[in-house]
Amino acid sequence: ASREMRVGLVLLVVACGGHGAGAVASNKLLVVGLGNPGPEYTFTRHNAGFLVVDELARRHDVDLRPASLLEGDYGAFAWGEDGSKTVGLLKPWTFMNLSGRSLQKAMQRFGLASPDGILIVVDETALDLGQVRLRAKGSTNGHNGLRDIERVLGGPQYPRLRIGVGRPGSSSSLADYVLGEFTATEQKKELPFALAAGVDAVERWIGEETIENAMSVVNSKTA
C-alpha cells in the first residue's frame, strides 16, 4: 500500500474507533455520503450525499483520496479548538444500491460495532431543495441506498441526514428525477445554499453532546 493509503487507513481507525452512549460526544466519528461514482452523476439529485461530503471536505481543507480497501474516497479532519474529535469522510464507490458494502468493509476492518458514531447523508425527495432533516433512526422511505445500509447494520437504528432535492413533476418517474441533474438555475442559485445547510447540519451533529440536541437545532432551521 502507498504511503497515502496507509495514512488514510490509520486516520480511519481513529475516526471510527469509538461508540456507545452519547455517541455524538464521541471523539471518533464517520460521515458517509451516499451517491453514484463517475462524472456523469456528479450533479444528479441522487448524489446530494456526495455533494455535501465534498462541500464539508472543502470547508475543512480535506483531500479526499482513493482508499481501495474501503471501496471509496476517504479523508479526515480534526474538530474543535483542541482538535479532540477526528471526523472521517467516506464516499463509497459501490453505486447507490450497494452503499452498505463500503461501510461494511470499514466496520469489519476496524471493528466498529455500533452505528452511533456514523452519520449517513442521503438525498430526500419528500423535502424541498434547501431543507434538511436530521434523524437518529427511521425508515428507508424506499431509498435503495438506505436499504443496503440497513441490511449491513441490521436495522434502522442509525443517524441519517436527509438532504432535500424536491419532488418530481407529474411527467417524471421518481427514478428519472433523482438520476437527473439539478437544473442550471438550481446549481447556480439554490444548490450552494442547500449544500451549506447540509454541511452546517453535519457540523452541528459533530459538535453537540447528543443527537437530540443537534436535531432540535437542525430541524428547526429549515422547517
Side-chain angles (χ1 to χ4, degrees), residues 132-186:
V132 299
R133 290 293 181 273
L134 181 63
R135 296 284 186 257
K137 59 182 180 180
S139 70
T140 65
N141 282 0
H143 194 288
N144 289 332
L146 291 183
R147 186 176 291 118
D148 202 52
I149 296 291
E150 188 169 306
R151 173 189 63 81
V152 168
L153 296 179
Q157 308 286 340
Y158 58 90
R160 77 282 311 274
L161 178 66
R162 296 182 182 274
I163 306 298
V165 298
R167 300 164 179 79
S170 58
S171 62
S172 298
S173 71
L174 183 61
D176 288 342
Y177 179 75
V178 297
L179 290 175
E181 290 191 344
F182 291 102
T183 67
T185 299
E186 287 173 335

Side-chain angles (χ1 to χ4, degrees), residues 93-139:
W93 298 337
T94 51
F95 288 91
M96 184 64 78
N97 293 1
L98 296 175
S99 295
R101 195 167 79 195
S102 177
L103 175 60
Q104 187 173 40
K105 284 177 179 289
M107 294 179 72
Q108 289 177 342
R109 183 171 180 83
F110 304 112
L112 180 60
S114 168
D116 292 342
I118 298 170
L119 180 66
I120 305 299
V121 186
V122 62
D123 59 292
E124 176 56 75
T125 58
L127 297 173
D128 294 333
L129 183 60
Q131 291 183 307
V132 299
R133 290 293 181 273
L134 181 63
R135 296 284 186 257
K137 59 182 180 180
S139 70

Side-chain angles (χ1 to χ4, degrees), residues 183-211:
T183 67
T185 299
E186 287 173 335
Q187 290 186 38
K188 183 177 180 180
K189 295 184 176 181
E190 298 170 79
L191 187 59
F193 293 100
L195 297 181
V199 172
D200 289 346
V202 174
E203 290 181 338
R204 178 65 63 171
W205 174 78
I206 295 168
E208 290 289 350
E209 290 296 313
T210 70
I211 192 170

